[in-house]
Amino acid sequence: MIVGIIGLGLIGGSLAKAFCRSKDVTVLGWDTNQSIVEFAQIAEAIQAPLAEENLNTVDLLLLATYPEAVIEHMERLAPRLSKHTMVIDCAGTKEKVCNAVFPLAEEYGFRFLGGHPMAGTHNSGFKYSREDLFDGAPMVLVPPNFYDIRLLDEAKKMLAPVGFGRVSITTAADHDKRIAFTSQLAHVVSNAYVKSPTAREHAGFSAGSYKDLTRVAWLNPDMWAELFLENKEHLLFELDTIIENLTEYKAAMEREDFNTLRQLLDDGRRIKEEVDGH
């Protein structure tokens, strides 16, 4: 199998390294930074650069870029793709990408699924990529047709060398609604949390709670700003919800209302137990 990867940052670089673990896979890579492509080849994360001359040899094309860049690449590459090529994007939001690329796939005859590999770190760039980043991690796929079992089965087989755990199938709209809660809200809250003036004085007074809550505050601002705005409607709903909930805690403390505060805390504990099973 020949795999082409556009974008060799943390996600694309890790995908490349994961595929390279299989002797049956040849990986071709492209990045806006040519030196990254050369470095990836030296590091044996790719076997050769991805170019127009070998684009039609690719069985699986992965786009590990921002949503707007995915659309720009696909508008340019769609007429050049072979009909046997399967294309999966790895951007963090799905509605805008899928709405733009599904029609292109239908027009030019290649196969396209929206995708979102659910793993990452607070660091970005190829130098932080690693072959085991996705081992056991969830992968979300957004097909154009839920009943195309053949397409989904082929996609899962092509992605198998990466080592994903559970593969979830959903719609673009449902993906973006859920991801606003599970990922984007967490990044906003974490980033805002460390803006307390007390943050500069926490050394020696912090343990697991601080570390867990602030891990994703160390983010890529360009990428996350684009993702937040792409998914503004769903993220604003989540922000309104958490602000409303925090206001209830604040009001109970201002009134020194022990019973209400205890009930709010117990409600949160109970919901956590219900949704996560422990």
Side-chain angles (χ1 to χ4, degrees):
M1 180 171 67
I2 300 177
V3 176
I5 300 177
I6 294 177
L8 294 173
L10 173 69
I11 301 302
S14 296
L15 288 167
K17 290 177 179 179
F19 273 113
C20 279
R21 294 182 296 189
S22 172
K23 295 179 180 179
D24 299 323
V25 178
T26 298
V27 182
L28 310 176
W30 181 93
D31 194 90
T32 52
N33 187 339
Q34 180 59 31
S35 64
I36 295 296
V37 178
E38 294 169 0
F39 185 75
Q41 199 166 356
I42 293 170
E44 298 184 344
I46 65 173
Q47 279 71 55
L50 177 65
E52 288 192 18
E53 301 78 58
N54 56 22
L55 182 64
N56 63 1
T57 68
V58 170
D59 300 299
L60 174 64
L61 179 65
L62 299 170
L63 294 98
T65 65
Y66 300 174
E68 286 288 352
V70 169
I71 296 169
E72 291 171 7
H73 283 302
M74 291 311 302
E75 287 175 343
R76 178 174 53 85
L77 297 176
R80 301 182 177 93
L81 288 172
S82 168
K83 287 181 169 56
H84 85 278
T85 300
M86 179 178 292
V87 181
I88 301 175
D89 86 282
C90 301
T93 57
K94 297 272 73 80
E95 283 190 273
K96 189 169 184 178
V97 169
C98 290
N99 289 342
V101 184
F102 281 152
L104 289 173
E106 188 172 349
E107 179 180 355
Y108 292 102
F110 62 89
R111 295 162 299 165
F112 172 77
L113 299 92
H116 191 177
M118 301 300 298
T121 73
H122 62 269
N123 295 309
S124 59
F126 180 82
K127 68 178 179 178
Y128 295 106
S129 62
R130 62 177 204 262
E131 65 178 33
D132 64 348
L133 181 65
F134 302 112
D135 285 356
M139 176 63 173
V140 179
L141 291 176
V142 178
N145 181 350
F146 264 57
Y147 303 103
D148 194 340
I149 305 301
R150 203 172 185 177
L151 176 68
L152 291 168
D153 186 58
E154 188 175 355
K156 290 178 184 179
K157 286 178 180 176
M158 284 185 164
L159 292 168
V162 179
F164 289 115
R166 176 180 177 180
V167 177
S168 299
I169 313 300
T170 188
T171 65
D174 195 42
H175 168 275
D176 288 1
K177 179 182 178 181
R178 294 188 191 190
I179 216 70
F181 171 72
T182 61
S183 177
Q184 294 179 343
L185 179 64
H187 281 78
V188 173
V189 171
S190 181
N191 196 263
Y193 175 79
V194 295
K195 291 180 179 178
S196 167
T198 316
R200 302 185 185 281
E201 305 165 4
H202 80 84
F205 292 83
S206 57
S209 299
Y210 172 83
K211 190 173 182 180
D212 290 345
L213 188 52
T214 60
R215 181 181 66 82
V216 293
W218 199 346
L219 47 69
N220 179 336
D222 291 326
M223 180 183 77
W224 285 101
E226 179 175 328
L227 293 175
F228 292 164
L229 293 177
E230 289 278 358
N231 205 27
K232 181 178 72 171
E233 180 182 351
H234 296 305
L235 183 53
L236 285 175
F237 168 80
E238 296 298 343
L239 282 169
D240 286 341
T241 301
I242 196 170
I243 289 169
E244 182 180 336
N245 288 335
L246 287 172
T247 300
E248 292 184 5
Y249 289 84
K250 181 174 181 286
M253 283 185 276
E254 287 174 338
R255 298 193 306 267
E256 296 191 13
D257 186 342
F258 175 87
N259 290 333
T260 297
L261 182 58
R262 185 197 177 284
Q263 185 61 55
L264 290 169
L265 292 168
D266 193 52
D267 288 344
R269 179 206 58 77
R270 176 179 49 79
I271 290 170
K272 170 65 176 175
E273 184 175 3
E274 288 173 2
V275 299
D276 291 332
H278 54 78

